[in-house]
Amino acid sequence: MKESMQALRPYEKEDTLKQFLQYDRRVLRFYCLWDDSDSMFGDLREMVLHYFLADDTIEIREIIRANVGRDAVPMFLRRQKLPKEPVSTLQPGRMTGRTVLNVFGPMGHGGRWILDSLKTGAVHINYYTDADLTIGSVINVWGRKFLLFDCDEYTKEHYQTKFGVNDFQPIKYKSDPGQPKPREIPPYNGFGSEEDSLCSCLGLIPKPPKHDFIKFMEKDRHGLDSNVLRFMAKMDSDRPIDHNRHFIISYFLCDDTILVYEPPQRNSGIIGGKFLERSRIKVPDGSGYYSSRDLFIGAHVEFLKHKFIITDADEYAVYYIEKNNKEYLQANVPIILSKLREITDKHLEDVRSFFAQADPQDSGYISYDNF
């Protein structure tokens, strides 16, 4: 055997291969907490401690939440063996695996070395092992106290198998936040639409309100279908000047907005034109907005403290309401007949006597004037 291939002396065997092959890629994970509230602008900082069973080293990563104001540097402690007590920086050569005494003889071939088996003057440092890490224990990380409050499932299985530990109750370090206070929306100030004012209260940068685009495309004007319901109305007021005023109420199905227009009348003393800008209008009790089902002939509506009585509707509005009679109950013939039947059942004899007097020949018809 060549001289360069011979083992150096003194030789002391230190077997770490077995531990590496047995525990490679097996890592214990603990969730820990560092209370830094004593320092200026300090707070509770959550960490994740990884213990590598292959070489008994530890690394600590910080859990950085969103909007905490800290730099995104998750590595708090690089992977290393962690001493139980902080030690100062050692001089070169003090921290060695073996101590050599009485070196004599020529350098190189023929020299003699004596190994100090008692390790006189050697530096002994106690490092943390997996036996020292348990839920509820406090470890010293270079002068900082870390509380271990929870661990993952593999760590629990490891401690059950190796140490027979069965108590893994996590430690609660956060107080109960309680029920969050409801957000108070300030009252509408009258500027712009109510939806725009609400969006300015929901975020620092106001965003335009979202609209139902699918409904807009389905109910927008296309072809001969205007999808606008127009009603004739008069003002419900005790003022004599308002008795002869007439209005056109237009309801736009694409976005549920209402426009009120007053046709000009000569020598009326009132300038006609647009009476109410197109917008969504709330009902008087503030529970919601007016819908197309609230507008029908004979309905009493109130727009911004102005009361109206709907007296008529255009041909398209009547056609649309009768076509969708399941949605508009005022045009649903079976419901109307059932209500009339309830009324006539109470006065059935009076109705029969009336028709007998109006049609003495029993022809089945009566004149409009008699009816």
Side-chain angles (χ1 to χ4, degrees):
M1 182 180 294
K2 295 182 179 181
E3 182 180 354
S4 61
M5 298 176 61
Q6 294 181 358
L8 298 178
R9 293 291 187 269
Y11 177 73
E12 183 178 2
K13 184 178 181 181
E14 184 177 354
D15 185 13
T16 58
L17 181 60
K18 179 180 179 181
Q19 181 182 359
F20 175 79
L21 295 177
Q22 184 178 0
Y23 295 108
D24 186 27
R25 299 179 181 274
R26 297 186 181 182
V27 182
L28 306 181
R29 177 180 296 176
F30 288 91
Y31 301 97
C32 52
L33 177 71
W34 174 36
D35 188 1
D36 190 33
S37 57
D38 293 337
S39 61
M40 183 179 295
F41 309 114
D43 55 356
L44 298 177
R45 301 173 66 173
E46 298 179 3
M47 309 280 181
V48 177
L49 184 145
H50 292 153
Y51 184 88
F52 297 87
L53 295 173
D55 54 358
D56 299 325
T57 55
I58 292 176
E59 77 169 9
I60 299 178
R61 293 178 175 269
E62 184 174 4
I63 301 176
I64 300 178
R65 308 290 184 184
N67 301 324
V68 296
R70 300 186 183 277
D71 294 334
V73 185
M75 184 63 71
F76 186 82
L77 178 69
R78 65 177 178 84
R79 182 176 175 179
Q80 58 183 276
K81 285 190 174 183
L82 183 63
K84 294 183 179 181
E85 296 294 335
V87 294
S88 59
T89 304
L90 301 177
Q91 296 295 329
R94 289 195 61 190
M95 190 64 184
T96 58
R98 54 192 175 180
T99 304
V100 180
L101 301 176
N102 299 332
V103 180
F104 60 92
M107 298 296 295
H109 182 70
R112 296 180 180 274
W113 296 269
I114 298 177
L115 183 65
D116 184 9
S117 60
L118 299 179
K119 298 184 181 297
T120 305
V123 179
H124 298 281
I125 300 177
N126 293 326
Y127 295 99
Y128 280 106
T129 63
D130 54 349
D132 302 319
L133 305 179
T134 57
I135 295 179
S137 62
V138 178
I139 63 174
N140 188 352
V141 182
W142 299 107
R144 298 173 177 85
K145 303 298 182 180
F146 278 67
L147 171 65
L148 307 182
F149 62 86
D150 200 0
C151 61
D152 62 354
E153 294 299 328
Y154 174 74
T155 305
K156 296 177 182 179
E157 181 181 352
H158 173 78
Y159 278 86
Q160 286 177 349
T161 305
K162 186 175 181 180
F163 300 102
V165 178
N166 296 318
D167 185 12
F168 300 101
Q169 183 67 25
I171 298 176
K172 294 183 179 180
Y173 64 94
K174 292 183 179 180
S175 59
D176 189 7
Q179 296 182 354
K181 295 183 179 180
R183 177 181 294 180
E184 297 182 0
I185 303 299
Y188 176 54
N189 54 12
F191 291 95
S193 64
E194 191 167 352
E195 291 82 1
D196 289 334
S197 299
L198 179 61
C199 290
S200 64
C201 301
L202 300 179
L204 184 61
I205 301 177
K207 297 181 180 179
K210 295 182 179 180
H211 301 284
D212 192 349
F213 184 74
I214 298 178
K215 180 180 179 181
F216 176 80
M217 295 299 295
E218 292 177 352
K219 299 295 184 179
D220 193 19
R221 177 190 297 271
H222 54 85
L224 299 178
D225 292 333
S226 63
N227 286 317
V228 179
L229 307 182
R230 293 181 174 87
F231 301 89
M232 291 294 299
K234 64 179 182 179
M235 186 169 287
D236 185 9
S237 175
D238 296 334
R239 299 172 56 188
I241 195 174
D242 295 333
H243 289 174
N244 295 326
R245 299 178 66 180
H246 299 281
F247 300 88
I248 299 176
I249 300 176
S250 300
Y251 187 91
F252 297 85
L253 296 172
C254 60
D255 55 359
D256 299 326
T257 54
I258 296 176
L259 171 67
V260 180
Y261 178 81
E262 183 178 6
Q265 299 183 30
R266 296 185 61 182
N267 301 325
S268 63
I270 297 176
I271 300 176
K274 187 182 295 184
F275 183 81
L276 180 63
E277 186 69 31
R278 178 180 174 180
S279 61
R280 297 181 68 190
I281 302 176
K282 275 195 170 184
V283 295
D285 58 359
S287 59
Y289 293 91
Y290 276 105
S291 65
S292 59
R293 294 184 295 272
D294 299 325
L295 305 180
F296 53 89
I297 298 175
H300 292 254
V301 294
E302 182 178 346
F303 299 155
L304 303 180
K305 297 184 179 181
H306 294 279
K307 297 180 180 180
F308 298 92
I309 301 176
I310 298 178
T311 59
D312 199 359
D314 66 351
E315 185 177 354
Y316 178 79
V318 174
Y319 168 76
Y320 182 86
I321 292 174
E322 291 180 351
K323 181 181 178 181
N324 301 274
N325 55 10
K326 293 183 179 180
E327 182 180 357
Y328 301 92
L329 302 181
Q330 289 78 11
N332 196 321
V333 176
I335 295 178
I336 296 174
L337 292 178
S338 63
K339 291 183 178 180
L340 291 176
R341 189 176 294 108
E342 293 177 359
I343 297 174
T344 56
D345 289 344
K346 297 179 181 179
H347 307 280
L348 184 59
E349 296 298 332
D350 297 338
V351 173
R352 286 179 178 177
S353 61
F354 169 76
F355 281 108
Q357 294 177 4
D359 186 17
Q361 290 81 16
D362 197 12
S363 62
Y365 298 94
I366 59 175
S367 63
Y368 179 79
D369 296 334
N370 293 334
F371 184 76

